């Protein structure tokens, strides 16, 4: 078990390092000149900075050093949780930007994951439990249909109905608890359907297992079999997917926060990419990677508890 | 302002509703083109102003992460800035004339190098500091110090020597070269006076809102591209001399939100979640109809300044270095179609590089006619013959023009189809702001056409964007040959020396004519401020530059 944990943690660290490095290379390879943007060139502006001003700003951000030096320097800083200063927000510490934008996104993503789980479980449960063939067939196909809709479209539809037509919830902003409902539903629906698909498949498979027949033979009720045997056994692969879904919420937040005009990491990274704000993009990507490895680590560590057979796998590695 | 009644579909016939909708859609009887700068009467202003209330305004475009009035250039942030800071002068939107604000009177010498301002007494900044000559000096010195960080300030205070404090309430602003446009500049938000303490903060800190002005509102919070909250300042008593409300603001709070999705912006207004919807580009006829049928009003007024136009890249070797292709391009643009299709049938057609509400505007529409046949003849004579897919070819090179854009634009889409008719391929490159910058900046530029416009109530706005003697941006330099650069710089210098109005008019007319006849600039459309206003909003008025004066605004219950 200890070896299993050490192995998983080492893997997680490797993923973090790789995420940092790949982002760094991609960002520095991008065409564009963030320094010029910072100094107000471009089409928005009318005047370009002098070479001396450009050199001074480059020096300030350490962009005048050779690339390997810059890379090691930044890696060292990040290891010390120093994410540098934002280019597009005029020298503001990136850690401030993260601190400001993380809470609204966590709130949004947390609720979205919760909705994803509830919708997926309820849908899968009902779809595999009902006896009416037509209803069962409809519910089993529903997730594939639901998954096909793009997130932004769902968001705009929800806004139109719940906010503009029925005046129940606000369309934009982050004031009050009710402002988080529509964006979190928007973010969760595609993944809820995705998760439901996997869960339906898993539950259908479990229903064919001999131990279900045994349970039935012992006279257990259908509901009891579904709750006690089918759902727990089918949930295991879903747990892995859930780990991934938690991470995808960062991507979904970009869309949801833009459509619903909310502050958060999604809109922060959207702005940062637009202005090639390398330190901010880097920090958000790293944060997303951290979320990714942490959630997956938790899932990996939960697995042996839920299924003792898993612990044997790493010892053969 | 005329308003169409909300449509109530009765059960009788859906057809009737449809007919009514169509009729309303086509019969936009209130002509936008007649909405002149002289009529800024807003939604309604009848009734007794109600005190209190939180007004919410929605913007769609965010071009900068900065709300410091001295530094920012985007209309949305300037709209908020206008209510946070005051300027020495104000520009009367009905005449374009300068009127007193923080300065009670002013004068300039004959060569337009020294400007004397007599200042108002009893004005304070929201941080408690007093407004006086020293504060003006600190502010102007710092605008100059910003250099290129203040994209507009750099041209407004070109040749700045300094500000002399004559006494506590009199300053002399001195320039090393004639600067006739400076008086109008003193009315802009860029030259807004911040409290001296504000300048202890770095420009970056000021960008994020760490500054204090003397305006009717104070900045409570600002999150770039997301929102801002402004609070009423009690005791405000020094608005511009032409404002209807000379006391503190009626509204207690203003909330600004950036809502990039067009449909969400309009829907939020119609469902009562916004009081004002102010998109950067004029509302389309369809959106105006939606707003009006939901009971809202349309506020419309032309912006002064540079029209929406394209600048060519004349770097040797690029296609548009060839004057004949540029001439053909100018003739291939159907401006009437852009106005009527992208905007609405009653939308004005562009007639110059300046909006017709800008002082010294001249009508150049005779040079902006649509003549695809003549364009085709020119191209054929120049050796560009039709090739595969209808795109013209010369010596194996396709007639493809690259225009970088940062968001999809129906104007560019339409232009693409117009140019295709004469065999010119317009390639829209949808890129991020950073990528656009690199396309412009690489040696010679990897583009052929770049869009620009700017809002300002002075013809010298053309210098802010096109005078290579001051402006060093790559896309500006590449838009002119060396000879054109010299010619324009000389004209702009002459413009800044001219203080006799007739003389000024002659010079700026020549500049407008030169930019179009040399095919340096390709005007596409007039820019109108077309804002959606909820029926609760009263007393809406704007400055000459189209920025909202919230001090006059009140909300009915």
């Amino acid at each position: 078990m200890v070896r299993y944990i050490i192995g998983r943690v080492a893997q997680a660290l490797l993923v973090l390092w790789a995420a940092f490095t790949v982002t760094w290379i991609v960002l520095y390879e991008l065409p564009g000149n963030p320094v010029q943007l910072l100094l107000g060139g471009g089409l928005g502006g009318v005047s370009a900075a002098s070479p001396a001003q450009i050199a001074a700003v480059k020096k300030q951000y350490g962009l005048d050093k050779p690339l390997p030096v810059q890379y090691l320097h930044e890696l060292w800083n990040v290891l010390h949780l120093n994410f540098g200063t934002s280019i597009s927000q005029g020298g503001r510490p990136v850690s401030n930007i993260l601190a400001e934008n993380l809470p609204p996104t966590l709130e949004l993503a947390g609720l979205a994951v919760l909705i994803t789980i509830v919708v997926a479980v309820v849908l899968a449960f009902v779809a595999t439990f009902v006896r009416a063939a037509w209803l069962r067939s409809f519910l089993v196909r529903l997730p594939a249909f639901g998954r096909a809709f793009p997130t932004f479209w769902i968001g705009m539809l929800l806004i139109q109905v719940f906010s503009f037509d029925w005046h129940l919830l606000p369309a934009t902003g982050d004031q009050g608890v009710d402002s988080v409902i529509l964006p979190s539903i928007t973010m969760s629906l595609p993944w809820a359907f995705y998760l439901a698909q996997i869960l339906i498949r898993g539950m259908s498979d479990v229903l064919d297992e001999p131990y279900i027949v045994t349970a039935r033979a012992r006279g257990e009720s259908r509901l009891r079999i579904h709750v006690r045997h089918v759902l727990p056994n089918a949930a295991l692969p879903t747990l892995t997917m859930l780990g991934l879904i938690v991470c995808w919420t960062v991507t979904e937040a970009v869309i949801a926060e833009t459509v619903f005009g909310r502050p958060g990491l999604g809109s922060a990274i959207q702005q940062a990419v637009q202005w090639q704000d390398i330190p901010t993009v880097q920090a958000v990507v790293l944060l997303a990677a951290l979320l990714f490895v942490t959630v997956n680590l938790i899932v990996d560590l939960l697995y042996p508890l839920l299924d003792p057979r898993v612990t044997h796998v790493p010892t053969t590695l | 302002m005329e308003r169409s009644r909300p449509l109530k579909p009765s059960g009788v016939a859906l057809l009737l509703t449809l007919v009514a909708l169509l009729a309303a859609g086509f019969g936009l009887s209130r002509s936008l083109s007649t909405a002149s700068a002289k009529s800024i009467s807003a939604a309604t202003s009848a009734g007794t102003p109600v005190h209190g209330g939180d007004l919410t305004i929605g913007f769609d475009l965010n071009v900068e992460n900065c709300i410091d009035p001295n530094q920012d250039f985007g209309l949305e942030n300037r709209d908020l800035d206008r209510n946070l800071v005051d300027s020495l002068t104000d520009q009367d939107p009905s005449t374009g004339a300068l009127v007193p604000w923080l300065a009670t009177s002013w004068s300039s010498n004959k060569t337009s190098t020294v400007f004397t301002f007599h200042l108002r007494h009893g004005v304070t900044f929201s941080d408690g500091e007093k407004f006086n000559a020293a504060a003006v000096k600190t502010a102007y010195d710092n605008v100059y110090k910003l250099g290129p960080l203040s994209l507009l300030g750099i041209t407004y205070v070109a040749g700045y020597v300094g500000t002399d404090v004559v006494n506590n309430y009199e300053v002399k602003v001195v320039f090393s070269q004639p600067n006739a446009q400076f008086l109008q500049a003193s009315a802009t938000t860029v030259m807004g006076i911040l409290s001296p303490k504000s300048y202890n903060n770095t420009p970056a800190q000021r960008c994020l809102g760490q500054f204090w002005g003397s305006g009717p509102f104070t900045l409570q919070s600002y999150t770039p591209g997301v929102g801002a909250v402004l609070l009423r300042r009690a005791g405000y008593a020094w608005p511009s001399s032409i404002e209807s409300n000379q006391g503190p603001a009626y509204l207690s709070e203003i909330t600004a939100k950036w809502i990039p999705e067009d449909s969400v912006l309009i829907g939020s207004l119609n469902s009562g979640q916004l009081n004002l919807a102010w998109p950067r580009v004029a509302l389309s006829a369809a959106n105006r109809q939606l707003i009006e049928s939901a009971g809202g009003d349309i506020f419309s007024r032309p912006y002064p300044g540079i029209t929406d136009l394209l600048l060519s890249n004349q770097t040797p070797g690029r296609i548009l270095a060839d004057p004949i292709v540029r001439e053909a391009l100018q003739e291939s643009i159907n401006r009437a179609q852009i106005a009527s299709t992208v905007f609405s049938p009653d939308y004005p057609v562009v007639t110059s590089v300046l909006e017709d509400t800008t002082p010294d505007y001249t009508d150049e529409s005779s040079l902006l006619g649509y003549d695809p046949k003549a364009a085709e003849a020119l191209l054929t004579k120049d050796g560009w013959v039709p090739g595969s897919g209808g795109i013209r070819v010369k010596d194996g090179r396709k007639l493809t023009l690259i225009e970088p854009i940062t968001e999809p634009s129906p104007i560019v889409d339409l232009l693409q189809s117009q140019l295709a008719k004469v065999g010119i391929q317009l390639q829209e490159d949808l890129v991020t702001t950073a990528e656009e910058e690199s396309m412009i900046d690489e040696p010679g530029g990897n583009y052929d056409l770049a869009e620009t416009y700017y809002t300002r109530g002075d013809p010298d706005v053309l210098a802010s964007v096109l005078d290579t003697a001051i402006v060093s941006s790559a896309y500006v330099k590449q838009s002119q040959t060396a000879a054109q650069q010299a010619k324009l710089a000389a004209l702009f210098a002459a413009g800044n020396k001219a203080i006799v109005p007739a003389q000024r008019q002659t010079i700026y007319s020549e500049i407008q004519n030169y930019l179009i006849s040399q095919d340096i600039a390709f005007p596409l459309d007039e820019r109108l401020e077309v804002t959606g206003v909820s029926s609760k909003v009263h007393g809406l008025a704007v400055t000459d530059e189209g920025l909202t004066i919230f001090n006059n605004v009140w909300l009915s219950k």
Side-chain angles (χ1 to χ4, degrees):
Chain A
M1 187 66 192
V2 175
R3 268 190 76 182
Y4 176 75
I5 294 175
I6 292 172
R8 291 289 152 184
V9 171
Q11 258 186 12
L13 291 175
L14 193 72
V15 170
L16 276 181
W17 170 79
F20 173 82
T21 307
V22 171
T23 329
W24 194 88
I25 293 171
V26 169
L27 287 172
Y28 279 84
E29 279 302 310
L30 274 181
N33 186 347
V35 174
Q36 185 71 37
L37 279 173
L38 176 70
L39 289 175
L43 290 183
V46 289
S47 47
S50 69
Q53 283 165 322
I54 291 175
V57 172
K58 278 195 165 173
K59 198 168 176 199
Q60 189 192 334
Y61 287 94
L63 297 169
D64 54 340
K65 300 195 183 79
L67 282 181
V69 177
Q70 285 188 40
Y71 171 76
L72 290 176
H73 181 73
E74 268 191 43
L75 188 61
W76 182 253
N77 279 342
V78 165
L79 286 174
H80 291 76
L81 296 180
N82 174 6
F83 296 104
T85 53
S86 156
I87 295 181
S88 68
Q89 293 196 19
R92 208 167 157 224
V94 172
S95 49
N96 282 8
I97 296 177
L98 293 186
E100 192 177 278
N101 289 299
L102 191 57
T105 302
L106 281 183
E107 186 189 22
L108 186 65
L111 189 60
V113 171
L114 196 69
I115 296 173
T116 304
I117 296 170
V118 171
V119 172
V121 169
V122 169
L123 188 61
F125 194 94
V126 176
T128 49
F129 188 74
V130 289
R131 277 188 163 140
W134 66 270
L135 185 58
R136 190 186 176 108
S137 158
F138 169 75
L139 290 175
V140 165
R141 280 167 178 80
L142 185 64
F145 180 69
R147 260 189 71 196
F149 294 112
T151 311
F152 75 89
W153 185 83
I154 294 178
M156 285 163 76
L157 191 74
L158 290 175
I159 289 179
Q160 185 61 43
V161 175
F162 291 96
S163 184
F164 297 163
D165 291 348
W166 296 350
H167 300 272
L168 290 176
L169 295 163
T172 54
D174 65 333
Q175 299 300 307
V177 184
D178 52 357
S179 72
V180 80
I181 298 174
L182 288 183
S184 54
I185 294 177
T186 304
M187 279 170 69
S188 59
L189 279 189
W191 298 113
F193 286 128
Y194 188 45
L195 203 61
Q197 262 185 320
I198 295 167
L199 205 51
I200 288 171
R201 167 68 65 85
M203 289 173 88
S204 306
D205 287 349
V206 172
L207 279 170
D208 293 337
E209 293 284 336
Y211 58 82
I212 300 295
V213 180
T214 312
R216 278 200 195 119
R218 279 169 45 191
E220 287 187 38
S221 74
R222 281 187 72 234
L223 185 65
R224 190 182 152 84
I225 292 174
H226 233 75
V227 175
R228 286 286 301 275
H229 301 294
V230 180
L231 188 59
N233 281 302
L236 219 48
T238 319
L239 196 63
T240 313
M241 280 320 298
L242 193 63
L244 290 175
I245 286 171
V246 167
C247 307
W248 281 327
T249 54
V250 178
T251 326
E252 295 294 332
V254 176
I255 300 167
E257 286 172 0
T258 306
V259 171
F260 290 90
R262 281 176 65 87
L265 280 186
S267 50
I269 199 170
Q270 193 263 340
Q271 297 259 341
V273 168
Q274 186 66 237
W275 295 92
Q276 211 173 336
D277 184 348
I278 295 174
T280 308
V281 176
Q282 184 99 58
V284 177
V285 170
L286 212 56
L287 195 71
L290 185 68
L291 183 73
F292 182 86
V293 296
T294 312
V295 172
N296 277 292
L297 194 62
I298 294 172
V299 170
D300 282 350
L301 296 179
L302 276 179
Y303 248 103
L305 300 180
L306 297 175
D307 187 348
R309 286 171 299 178
V310 176
T311 345
H312 296 296
V313 179
T315 54
T316 60
L317 278 177
Chain B
M1 202 148 275
E2 192 180 319
R3 192 199 301 171
S4 51
R5 248 172 271 144
L7 299 160
K8 286 182 187 164
S10 65
V12 185
L14 196 67
L15 191 70
L16 275 179
T17 318
L18 201 67
V19 170
L21 263 172
L22 280 172
F26 288 113
L28 291 162
S29 50
R30 181 182 19 72
S31 172
L32 280 176
S33 48
T34 57
S36 74
K38 323 290 177 246
S39 69
I40 56 152
S41 68
T44 69
S45 37
T48 319
V50 175
H51 290 264
D54 177 356
L55 179 139
T56 309
I57 179 167
F59 301 117
D60 61 348
L61 194 62
N62 177 49
V63 293
E64 61 197 339
N65 295 330
C66 182
I67 197 167
D68 173 14
N70 296 156
Q71 296 179 65
D72 62 21
F73 52 86
L75 272 174
E76 296 76 14
N77 286 356
R78 279 158 71 201
D79 194 50
L80 300 178
D81 285 336
R82 188 65 293 173
N83 298 282
L84 297 170
V85 292
D86 299 332
S87 300
L88 292 189
T89 62
D90 187 22
Q91 200 172 6
D92 186 339
S94 58
T95 60
L98 292 176
V99 294
W101 195 350
L102 292 185
T104 49
S105 63
W106 53 86
S107 58
S108 62
N109 66 352
K110 281 195 170 163
T111 50
S112 294
T113 54
V114 179
F115 300 85
T116 307
F117 293 93
H118 295 272
L119 307 177
R120 193 164 181 159
H121 293 242
V123 175
T124 56
F125 295 101
S126 59
D127 62 355
E129 285 188 276
K130 276 191 174 160
F131 166 80
N132 53 26
V136 175
K137 178 179 168 52
T138 309
Y140 281 6
D141 283 355
N142 275 285
V143 172
Y144 180 68
K145 228 191 273 176
L146 283 170
L149 285 179
S150 179
L151 303 172
L152 298 155
I154 197 171
T155 54
Y156 293 0
V157 294
Y160 181 77
V161 172
T163 298
D164 300 333
V165 175
V166 180
N167 62 48
N168 223 357
Y169 291 98
E170 185 181 338
V171 289
K172 271 191 201 312
V173 185
V174 183
F175 293 91
S176 61
Q177 63 195 49
N179 194 348
Q181 56 85 43
F182 178 73
L183 270 183
Q184 190 277 338
S186 73
T188 63
T189 48
V190 176
M191 299 307 289
I193 312 292
L194 302 180
S195 78
K197 240 185 256 169
S198 306
Y199 298 103
N200 294 339
N201 294 328
T202 62
Q205 289 171 323
R206 298 206 297 274
C207 260
L208 294 169
Q210 293 180 39
F211 62 82
W212 299 271
S214 62
F217 289 86
T218 57
L219 187 62
Q220 166 81 3
S221 67
Y222 168 62
T223 313
V226 177
V229 176
L230 279 67
L231 298 180
R232 169 182 184 267
R233 187 175 164 204
Y236 179 75
W238 42 88
S240 147
S241 52
I242 50 168
E243 292 320 323
S244 57
N245 175 22
Q246 287 289 321
Y250 303 120
L251 298 169
S252 49
E253 206 174 314
I254 301 167
T255 305
K257 284 180 176 182
W258 271 263
I259 305 175
E261 271 300 325
D262 195 34
S263 63
V264 180
L265 183 72
I266 305 303
S268 297
L269 176 75
N270 291 346
S271 62
Q273 298 175 51
L274 288 179
N275 303 107
L276 286 170
W278 185 8
R280 174 65 76 88
V281 176
L283 287 167
S284 65
N287 277 337
R288 277 159 51 195
Q289 184 57 35
L290 273 177
I291 292 168
E292 288 178 327
S293 53
D297 280 310
I298 302 297
F299 176 86
S300 167
R301 182 182 179 273
Y303 289 114
I306 300 178
T307 55
D308 183 23
L309 51 79
L310 295 173
L311 291 179
S312 53
N313 178 2
Q314 297 195 39
T315 305
R318 306 270 344 166
I319 291 175
L320 292 180
D322 180 348
I324 298 173
V325 180
R326 292 207 309 277
E327 195 186 337
L329 177 64
Q330 195 77 278
E331 291 183 329
S332 313
I333 303 171
N334 186 347
R335 295 165 176 95
Q337 193 187 37
I338 293 177
S340 65
T341 327
V342 177
F343 299 100
S344 55
D346 56 357
Y347 198 87
V349 179
V350 69
T351 51
S352 177
V353 289
L354 286 179
E355 302 282 345
D356 61 8
T357 45
T358 323
D360 301 333
Y361 146 87
T362 38
D363 186 342
E364 301 291 343
S365 50
S366 60
L367 297 174
L368 296 173
Y370 175 55
D371 194 345
K373 287 218 171 90
E376 286 194 85
L378 275 172
L379 290 172
T380 308
K381 206 174 139 198
D382 197 32
W384 294 95
V385 292
S388 66
I391 304 162
R392 288 175 182 269
V393 186
K394 180 181 179 181
D395 306 328
R397 187 183 192 184
K398 274 188 173 180
L399 186 42
T400 302
L401 304 177
I402 301 169
E403 181 186 351
I405 51 173
T406 52
E407 53 181 35
S409 157
I411 300 169
V412 183
D413 288 345
L414 180 58
L415 184 66
Q416 192 178 47
S417 73
Q418 290 177 354
L419 299 188
K421 283 185 189 146
V422 297
I424 300 174
Q425 185 184 40
L426 182 67
Q427 183 183 322
E428 296 180 43
D429 277 3
L430 186 59
V431 293
T432 64
T433 312
E435 285 172 286
E436 180 183 46
E437 177 65 33
S438 86
M439 289 172 75
I440 304 268
D441 277 349
E442 68 179 73
N446 177 25
Y447 72 98
D448 297 292
L449 291 163
E451 184 195 11
T452 193
Y453 56 76
Y454 195 75
T455 307
R456 189 187 170 192
D458 190 278
D460 202 56
V461 66
L462 287 169
S464 298
V465 175
L466 289 160
D467 185 358
T468 48
I470 312 169
V471 177
S472 52
S473 287
Y475 81 101
V476 177
K477 293 210 152 152
Q478 287 154 3
S479 73
Q480 305 156 27
T481 61
Q484 290 166 339
Q485 286 181 12
K487 168 84 176 167
L488 280 169
L491 281 170
F492 284 125
N496 254 338
K497 273 186 207 137
I499 38 172
V500 181
Q503 214 182 346
R504 231 180 163 227
Q505 165 84 58
T506 313
I507 293 165
Y508 285 104
S509 292
E510 191 181 342
I511 293 174
Q512 291 168 67
N513 186 279
Y514 187 77
L515 286 169
I516 297 173
S517 59
Q518 291 279 313
D519 304 307
I520 294 168
F522 303 87
L524 298 178
D525 53 277
E526 288 265 308
R527 292 192 314 112
L528 259 64
E529 176 175 5
V530 184
T531 316
V533 187
S534 90
S535 55
K536 281 185 171 181
V537 177
H538 304 271
L540 185 63
V542 295
T543 67
D544 188 64
E545 294 190 328
L547 310 176
T548 317
I549 304 161
F550 282 110
N551 200 41
N552 294 341
V553 175
W554 54 278
L555 292 173
S556 53
K557 294 247 159 89

